[in-house]
Amino acid sequence: MQFSEVSKKFMEMETTTKRLELTSILGSLLDGAGDDLKELVYLIQGKLAPDYEGIEFGISGKLIVKSLANASGQTEEEVNKLFSKNGDLGTTAAELRENIRQAPLVSEDLTLHYVYTKLLDLANSSGPGSVKGKMDIYSDLFMNSKPDDIKYITRIIMGKLRLGVADSTILDSLVSAFSEKKYAEIIDTAYNFHPDIGLIATLLEKRDIKTIENIGPEPLVPFKVMLAERLKSIDDIREKMNHMVAYEYKYDGLRTELHKKGDKIKIFSRGLEETTDNFPDIVSNFKKNYNFDSIIIDGESVPYNPETGELFPFQMVSKRRGRKYGLDEKSLEIPLVMFIFDILELNGKSLVNTPYQERRKILEENFKDNEYFRLATRLVSDDSEEINKFFEKSIEDGCEGVVAKNTSSESVYRAGARGWLWIKFKRDYQKELADSMDLVVIGAFNGHGRRAGAYGALLMASYNEETQEYESFTKLGTGFSDEVLFSLPKMFSELKEDHKPAMVNSKMIPDVWFYPQIVMEIQGAEITVSPIHTCAYSKIEKDSGLALRFPRLVKIRDDKKAEDATTTNEIIELYKMQKKTK
Ligand code: ATP
């Protein structure tokens, strides 16, 4: 496949404001990929491999500017000037390529495979001389490209290719192109246990549904964690789960996947990033105390006071969250304990279809509590009074409440799913509006008066998993400190869009649109029916959506991606819960 075909489709995807058009362009692009399919799906994501493989380009914007200056015969100052005007290095590179008017050095068009290979070389170049090596590869790509090609190549290198297609959108398109709807669930499950879109694409292209069916948890490959639904009361939970329930403490820490295979141990975050280096204490303790050939466990790591055993708020170790933060000595001073609540694999055997009660038994047989590893405290009971006491005790012990787990034989481990096999229950749920929400910023309204130069309000959206659209839900203008408020224009400067992005569904038109990327935790007073917002449109009332009244910023959730935001279905559930309290 020629790279110019890819650039052409990328441009079409970028300019459309309609979601259906976006998926149809994506479909035609995938259709024409042939043997290049795997490389293509990574490039559509602006990547060379799944995130957990940790492949990074390792070249800064400054070095790209330098390379552009060298290759185009301009000064760095001139290139920077152009960059300031465009606000985007991709467009800058394209303009410079256009201006030098020299035909690409090679007479044939660049192929996708050539670009992918060169980008991989660029990323893999390391050690002494690697800076020059990376710059040379980039300059070579520049000279061999047409303007539109170098635009997208540059954006990919800078991590700024924003086409608005999440993995789930690509998966749907792959199913339409190479498989049948009846396999969609199998394919989804496989992806949730092995979130490598390239692997799934290759298998689908070969029509190898058998191999896809057999994909399960694999030690050292992160899986998408199972999530919980919410209910309003313990009695509702008992009823929903047919009185077959175990209650576990809901720890407020960092979700932690620990994998071991042979003598390798890896830790992954909920966002599927490898964070092993942030947990040297946990890793060395695991190595010392346990001897499994292979294992995958799921749990929550919580900071605590070793003198008293008291649990601390997770903010104290938030630096351990993502790789980008790095770790200093100080962050290691606060010890962590991993509360284990699930097991997915043991010594080569998958346990995801083994019922929860048996999985717990396996955990109990294999783990004795120690300083670094403990099993989640739990109660199996159907006695209201006993359960309520357990709930109160969980709060007293520094937890957020409980997670109820279905104890029937149906209670499998469902990767990546928010379902009714796990139901969370927090103290807040007794209030009218039960919970805070994590919403995505899709636009902003200009500020006036004291807020001149900043934003007066942000337009916030929920994520509709079914349509894969962001649906407007509230206008947020409260809860910002001045410091946060005045830092917003810079935070969003690179996310500005000159039209409504195709995956945004909004009737309200803000002064400026943003590419949906930043997630904020919001607390509101009430969810109401509203004709203005598109969240759950016509789901509760015809020609109306749902809106959040009196929203207030709690915090910016830099650990969540836009697709991890509160879903429209969760908002419908919250609305129903609120109605029940009234
Ligand atoms: P929140 O922002 O409230 O944590 P969330 O979407 O991150 O929301 P929830 O679905 O609310 O996660 O709650 C489930 C989370 O609770 C899990 O992701 C996990 O990190 C944490 N947790 C703590 N203890 C347990 C437990 N015993 N079983 C399952 N999850 C637990």
Side-chain angles (χ1 to χ4, degrees):
M1 185 177 212
Q2 302 300 319
F3 193 77
S4 54
E5 275 175 69
V6 178
S7 317
K8 187 167 156 266
K9 296 282 183 198
F10 280 7
M11 185 128 54
E12 291 174 16
M13 285 161 92
E14 220 176 37
T15 37
T16 179
T17 57
K18 297 196 187 78
R19 174 146 178 101
L20 269 180
E21 224 171 84
L22 179 75
T23 47
S24 121
I25 303 164
L26 175 67
S28 67
L29 181 58
L30 296 173
D31 252 347
D35 291 346
D36 296 329
L37 185 66
K38 184 174 179 178
E39 293 173 355
L40 174 67
V41 291
Y42 291 140
L43 290 186
I44 292 173
Q45 294 293 70
K47 298 174 189 168
L48 300 175
D51 285 343
Y52 60 84
E53 291 194 2
I55 295 181
E56 275 166 17
F57 292 105
I59 181 166
S60 62
K62 254 196 180 136
L63 286 176
I64 295 283
V65 167
K66 213 171 176 164
S67 313
L68 283 171
N70 288 343
S72 66
Q74 306 267 358
T75 64
E76 280 179 48
E77 211 184 344
E78 281 163 330
V79 176
N80 269 321
K81 224 160 134 192
L82 206 55
F83 178 24
S84 298
K85 183 195 90 183
N86 292 323
D88 162 43
L89 265 180
T91 314
T92 305
E95 278 183 24
L96 289 167
R97 188 67 194 81
E98 184 86 56
N99 287 345
I100 60 174
R101 290 178 198 282
Q102 180 182 338
L105 292 181
V106 285
S107 52
E108 291 141 50
D109 276 354
L110 284 188
T111 63
L112 181 149
H113 180 64
Y114 179 83
V115 172
Y116 180 88
T117 314
K118 284 287 160 191
L119 289 176
L120 201 58
D121 287 349
L122 191 152
N124 285 336
S125 134
S126 64
S130 67
V131 170
K132 182 169 181 306
K134 285 175 195 279
M135 285 171 69
D136 285 350
I137 296 173
Y138 179 74
S139 303
D140 178 64
L141 280 166
F142 178 84
M143 292 312 290
N144 285 314
S145 291
K146 292 186 178 150
D148 284 338
D149 300 343
I150 196 65
K151 172 160 95 185
Y152 292 107
I153 291 172
T154 309
R155 286 189 187 163
I156 290 172
I157 295 175
M158 292 283 81
K160 302 269 162 66
L161 183 76
R162 300 192 175 103
L163 298 177
V165 284
D167 277 9
S168 45
T169 314
I170 299 182
L171 269 186
D172 284 355
S173 297
L174 287 169
V175 172
S176 313
F178 305 109
S179 188
E180 295 164 59
K181 258 223 150 83
K182 66 176 179 188
Y183 295 123
E185 209 177 306
I186 294 174
I187 295 165
D188 206 42
T189 304
Y191 174 74
N192 286 334
F193 280 120
H194 200 138
D196 177 350
I197 193 87
L199 169 80
I200 307 279
T202 311
L203 293 170
L204 278 176
E205 208 244 338
K206 287 196 241 153
R207 312 290 197 275
D208 186 356
I209 202 80
K210 262 239 118 49
T211 304
I212 294 182
E213 228 172 339
N214 286 325
I215 291 180
E218 200 180 313
L220 310 182
V221 175
F223 58 91
K224 291 194 148 194
V225 297
M226 181 162 170
L227 294 167
E229 284 283 357
R230 297 179 183 82
L231 275 179
K232 190 85 202 162
S233 72
I234 295 286
D235 282 345
D236 287 349
I237 295 177
R238 292 167 68 213
E239 203 176 306
K240 183 90 189 173
M241 290 191 174
N242 247 332
H243 300 270
M244 301 188 67
V245 195
Y247 299 85
E248 294 181 356
Y249 275 14
K250 185 180 192 300
Y251 299 97
D252 188 13
L254 303 173
R255 186 79 177 253
T256 306
E257 301 183 8
L258 187 149
H259 296 236
K260 178 176 188 284
K261 189 175 183 182
D263 51 15
K264 262 213 169 103
I265 293 182
K266 285 191 180 185
I267 289 182
F268 298 99
S269 70
R270 170 183 168 156
L272 308 178
E273 261 188 325
E274 190 186 339
T275 51
T276 315
D277 290 347
N278 293 351
F279 298 89
D281 38 0
I282 296 260
V283 171
S284 68
N285 189 275
F286 195 86
K287 255 188 196 151
K288 205 163 79 198
N289 285 296
Y290 306 105
N291 192 17
F292 305 104
D293 291 338
S294 71
I295 190 166
I296 305 176
I297 48 176
D298 185 8
E300 190 92 354
S301 300
V302 189
Y304 76 110
N305 180 340
E307 307 292 325
T308 60
E310 178 198 1
L311 299 180
F312 289 140
F314 93 96
Q315 283 87 337
M316 292 185 69
V317 289
S318 56
K319 285 218 170 117
R320 297 212 197 197
R321 199 156 54 192
R323 277 189 308 131
K324 58 182 174 218
Y325 294 99
L327 258 200
D328 48 33
E329 298 265 306
K330 237 181 144 103
S331 349
L332 284 174
E333 276 169 16
I334 305 162
L336 282 180
V337 48
M338 177 173 174
F339 288 98
I340 307 168
F341 50 72
D342 226 311
I343 177 161
L344 288 83
E345 205 262 9
L346 182 64
N347 297 333
K349 187 170 177 271
S350 165
L351 297 173
V352 293
N353 291 321
T354 304
Y356 160 78
Q357 285 287 68
E358 280 176 52
R359 297 202 303 277
R360 171 77 192 198
K361 207 164 142 230
I362 295 172
L363 282 175
E364 284 168 9
E365 285 163 3
N366 284 283
F367 288 91
K368 299 285 162 271
D369 285 0
N370 80 11
E371 219 180 312
Y372 285 89
F373 297 94
R374 280 188 235 158
L375 296 192
T377 302
R378 73 165 198 164
L379 168 78
V380 186
S381 168
D382 192 36
D383 177 323
S384 265
E385 203 178 312
E386 197 182 11
I387 301 165
N388 276 310
K389 267 198 192 137
F390 182 78
F391 172 72
E392 291 303 331
K393 183 86 172 61
S394 78
I395 307 279
E396 214 175 280
D397 287 345
C399 294
E400 290 184 297
V402 292
V403 183
K405 308 233 162 139
N406 187 315
T407 55
S408 76
S409 59
E410 251 113 80
S411 200
V412 297
Y413 191 98
R414 293 196 53 212
R418 194 182 287 283
W420 294 105
L421 293 173
W422 290 9
I423 303 175
K424 54 185 168 174
F425 178 68
K426 300 191 208 174
R427 164 138 293 159
D428 291 355
Y429 295 4
Q430 287 149 354
K431 287 195 223 143
E432 205 171 282
L433 180 56
D435 212 348
S436 64
M437 282 156 255
D438 299 320
L439 303 175
V440 185
V441 189
I442 54 170
F445 299 87
N446 294 329
H448 301 287
R450 218 183 71 73
R451 291 194 173 184
Y455 297 126
L458 301 176
L459 185 58
M460 311 294 297
S462 63
Y463 181 55
N464 185 330
E465 280 178 304
E466 279 137 38
T467 60
Q468 290 154 9
E469 284 179 327
Y470 296 91
E471 300 177 333
S472 89
F473 179 49
T474 195
K475 251 172 94 174
L476 171 74
T478 313
F480 299 95
S481 65
D482 275 3
E483 193 193 340
V484 172
L485 186 73
F486 286 94
S487 70
L488 294 176
K490 181 153 189 279
M491 184 187 300
F492 285 98
S493 66
E494 289 195 352
L495 296 174
K496 277 188 195 166
E497 297 274 334
D498 55 13
H499 58 259
K500 180 189 79 59
M503 62 293 193
V504 165
N505 177 0
S506 172
K507 293 210 278 181
M508 200 175 259
I509 299 173
D511 293 325
V512 47
W513 293 107
F514 297 137
Y515 187 87
Q517 180 165 308
I518 294 190
V519 178
M520 296 184 179
E521 185 178 340
I522 310 299
Q523 182 70 58
E526 191 189 3
I527 302 173
T528 53
V529 168
S530 149
I532 304 167
H533 286 286
T534 52
C535 171
Y537 204 72
S538 286
K539 284 272 166 67
I540 300 285
E541 214 172 280
K542 195 167 172 291
D543 300 331
S544 272
L546 291 176
L548 182 67
R549 291 184 66 208
F550 305 121
R552 166 176 66 72
L553 175 76
V554 180
K555 60 173 177 288
I556 296 172
R557 290 288 306 245
D558 49 17
D559 59 324
K560 281 203 172 179
K561 295 189 192 133
E563 303 111 68
D564 300 327
T566 302
T567 61
T568 297
N569 276 336
E570 282 182 86
I571 288 175
I572 294 174
E573 291 295 332
L574 281 167
Y575 177 73
K576 288 184 188 157
M577 267 164 75
Q578 170 195 292
K579 253 183 122 172
K580 231 173 149 183
T581 322
K582 279 191 168 174

